[in-house]
Amino acid sequence: MRHLIDSTDLSVKETQEILNLALDIIENRTMYSHVCAGKKLATLFYEPSTRTRLSFTAAMMELGGNVLGFSDASTSSVSKGETVADTVRVVSAFADIIAMRHYKEGGPFVASQYSRIPVINAGDGGNAHPTQTLTDLLSIRRELGHLDNLTIGLCGDLKYGRTVHSLIKAMNRYEGVKFVLIAPAELRLPDHIKNLAPTKCVETATLEEALPTLDVLYMTRVQQERFANKDDYERLKDSFVLDARKMQLAKEKMIVLHPLPRVKEISPDVDSDSRAAYFRQVENGKFVRMALIYTLLHKTTETREHSESLSVTEEPCTNRRCITATEPVERLSYEDHDGKRRCAYCNHVLANS
Ligand code: NCD
C-alpha cells in the first residue's frame, strides 16, 4: 500500500508516470470513465477548502467511483474528541482511499500510520501540499513543455505557504532549476526547505527585479489563518502585487501560476494576459488527481519511503501547530542537512538539537 504525504514520496520517475497518465486521461477521457467503478474515496477535510475538495470529488466521479466524507470537522466525531488515528481506522472500513486535509502539521502523516487504505495529504497546516505540486508540475509541463532548466520565482508567503514548500522540494530534483524567492522578511522560506537547495535559491527584494529573469512566476496568498497576530497579517498582506504594468517586464513566454484562492496579490487586469495560467492550472488539478487516485488504488506492494531516515525520540516538539501537540502519537525525528534534529511531522527544529 502506498501513501502520498510529501511531494518527494514519489520519485522523479513515478512523478513522471503520474503526469504522463494525466496527459493520457486528458486525451482519452471516456477510456477512464469507469476504471474506479465500485471504489470509494473518503474526503476528510478538517480545514475549510473548496477547490481541493471539489477537485478530488470531481476526479473520483470522472473515474466512475464514489465519494463520501466530511468537509467540516465540527460536524464529525472529531468534535467529540476522536483522534486522527481512530478516525482513519474507522474510515478504512468504509472506503478504499482517503484524501485528508488537516489544520495541524503532520495530521495526514499520522493518518498514514494507522490507515489500512492509501492516504493522500490534501494539505497539512503550513507544512505540505503534494497534490497541488502535481497540479503545478502538470501545468508547467503543459504550458512550457519541460520541467528542467527553469528559473522559478516564488512570491508572497513563503513561510506558511505549504504549496511553495512542496513545489520547491519536488522541482529541486530537476536539472538546471533555480528559485528566486520574493517575500517580506517575516515570511521568508523556512530553513529546512532552503537547506535542500542552498545554491539554487536567490532572494530578491522586488518583483520588478525578478520578473525579467523568470520562466515561471508562482504567486501566493498571505496565509491569514496561520497568523497568531492579526496586525501582522494586515501589515504584510499586500506586500507584493502583480499587475499588468509589471507583466511588461516579464519574458514573452513566462507563465504565472497561483494555487488559488487569490486575494489581492494578482490584480484582475492580469487575467486577460495569455501568460496568466492560473485558471488553466485548476483544471490540471482534477486530471492529475484522477491519475494519482488511479495509481494509488492499483499499487499494492510498495511502501512509502520517507526521504529522511526517521528515529524515535523522547523529545517533544514545541510547535503548537504540530499534530503532536494535540494527539498521542509516537515522537519521530530526523537529522537535517544542517545537522539539526527536526520533528518528522512538522519539520520544526527540536529544542535540544
Ligand atoms: C492552497 C492551499 O490550500 O494551501 N489552495 C489550494 O489548495 N487550492 C493555497 C492557499 O490556500 O492559499
Side-chain angles (χ1 to χ4, degrees):
M1 190 185 33
R2 194 69 188 267
H3 308 287
L4 178 65
I5 304 303
D6 189 87
S7 58
T8 53
D9 289 349
L10 294 168
S11 66
V12 171
K13 183 167 167 280
E14 288 169 325
T15 303
Q16 175 98 344
E17 283 164 6
I18 288 179
L19 301 185
N20 289 344
L21 179 57
L23 292 170
D24 195 56
I25 292 172
I26 292 168
E27 293 294 318
N28 305 291
R29 299 275 284 272
T30 51
M31 254 175 58
Y32 291 89
S33 59
H34 298 291
V35 290
C36 289
K39 299 284 183 193
K40 282 170 283 178
L41 165 74
T43 55
L44 310 184
F45 277 61
Y46 294 72
E47 188 184 63
S49 156
T50 318
R51 68 217 72 234
T52 303
R53 189 171 51 81
L54 293 185
S55 176
F56 270 108
T57 304
M60 190 54 164
M61 285 173 164
E62 290 201 27
L63 294 169
N66 288 305
V67 185
L68 67 168
F70 56 82
S71 55
D72 178 0
S74 66
T75 61
S76 76
S77 292
V78 175
S79 62
K80 299 178 188 164
E82 188 175 57
T83 60
V84 166
D86 281 1
T87 301
V88 297
R89 281 179 175 124
V90 170
V91 172
S92 294
F94 300 145
D96 301 284
I97 185 163
I98 290 172
M100 176 182 285
R101 170 165 290 194
H102 207 291
Y103 47 86
K104 289 279 183 179
E105 295 161 11
F109 181 28
V110 170
S112 70
Q113 295 167 10
Y114 296 92
S115 178
R116 286 187 278 117
I117 58 179
V119 175
I120 301 170
N121 179 2
D124 62 322
N127 187 36
H129 195 348
T131 63
Q132 181 63 46
T133 298
L134 290 172
T135 306
D136 303 338
L137 299 188
L138 181 62
S139 302
I140 296 171
R141 186 146 151 211
R142 289 187 81 191
E143 299 281 335
L144 299 177
H146 57 100
L147 294 171
D148 51 1
N149 297 310
L150 293 172
T151 299
I152 304 171
L154 300 118
C155 179
D157 189 344
L158 308 190
K159 180 177 180 186
Y160 298 120
R162 55 193 173 195
T163 63
V164 168
H165 306 163
S166 292
L167 181 60
I168 293 181
K169 285 180 90 171
M171 284 302 299
N172 186 35
R173 304 177 299 175
Y174 295 87
E175 284 294 306
V177 168
K178 289 192 211 109
F179 304 107
V180 180
L181 311 176
I182 313 143
E186 292 97 323
L187 299 179
R188 286 209 182 115
L189 191 68
D191 285 346
H192 74 272
I193 307 283
K194 215 189 214 174
N195 290 344
L196 296 171
T199 57
K200 297 184 198 164
C201 292
V202 290
E203 296 186 64
T204 60
T206 64
L207 261 172
E208 284 87 338
E209 202 183 319
L211 270 165
T213 67
L214 304 179
D215 302 301
V216 177
L217 173 59
Y218 197 88
M219 293 296 295
T220 62
R221 168 180 78 88
V222 174
Q223 305 278 300
Q224 177 175 12
E225 62 277 37
R226 315 267 175 245
F227 280 76
N229 179 338
K230 193 168 171 283
D231 293 343
D232 288 343
Y233 170 71
E234 289 299 323
R235 187 166 46 80
L236 295 168
K237 67 178 186 190
D238 298 326
S239 300
F240 295 98
V241 177
L242 180 68
D243 58 21
R245 194 179 51 82
K246 289 186 193 138
M247 283 296 283
Q248 290 173 7
L249 300 168
K251 290 182 189 170
E252 213 177 295
K253 285 202 171 144
M254 184 193 81
I255 56 164
V256 183
L257 297 179
H258 190 306
L260 304 179
R262 87 170 132 182
V263 189
K264 287 199 186 138
E265 60 281 353
I266 302 181
S267 158
D269 65 11
V270 179
D271 297 356
S272 55
D273 191 310
S274 58
R275 295 168 292 183
Y278 32 91
F279 292 120
R280 299 191 289 274
Q281 188 183 356
V282 177
E283 209 185 354
N284 290 329
K286 181 185 69 181
F287 293 124
V288 93
R289 288 184 176 98
M290 290 171 76
L292 177 68
I293 292 168
Y294 179 80
T295 302
L296 292 182
L297 283 175
H298 292 83
K299 278 205 182 234
T300 48
T301 50
E302 292 168 70
T303 52
R304 176 192 183 216
E305 283 170 34
H306 199 279
S307 44
E308 316 283 351
S309 63
L310 303 183
S311 48
V312 177
T313 176
E314 290 295 307
E315 202 177 343
C317 175
T318 53
N319 173 17
R320 64 184 167 77
R321 292 186 306 271
C322 180
I323 191 78
T324 59
T326 45
E327 303 225 355
V329 299
E330 185 170 49
R331 297 193 194 291
L332 297 171
S333 70
Y334 68 92
E335 189 173 319
D336 194 4
H337 293 69
D338 55 10
K340 291 184 176 139
R341 289 216 78 78
R342 291 179 181 270
C343 170
Y345 297 92
C346 69
N347 299 300
H348 275 239
V349 175
L350 295 177
N352 295 328
S353 158

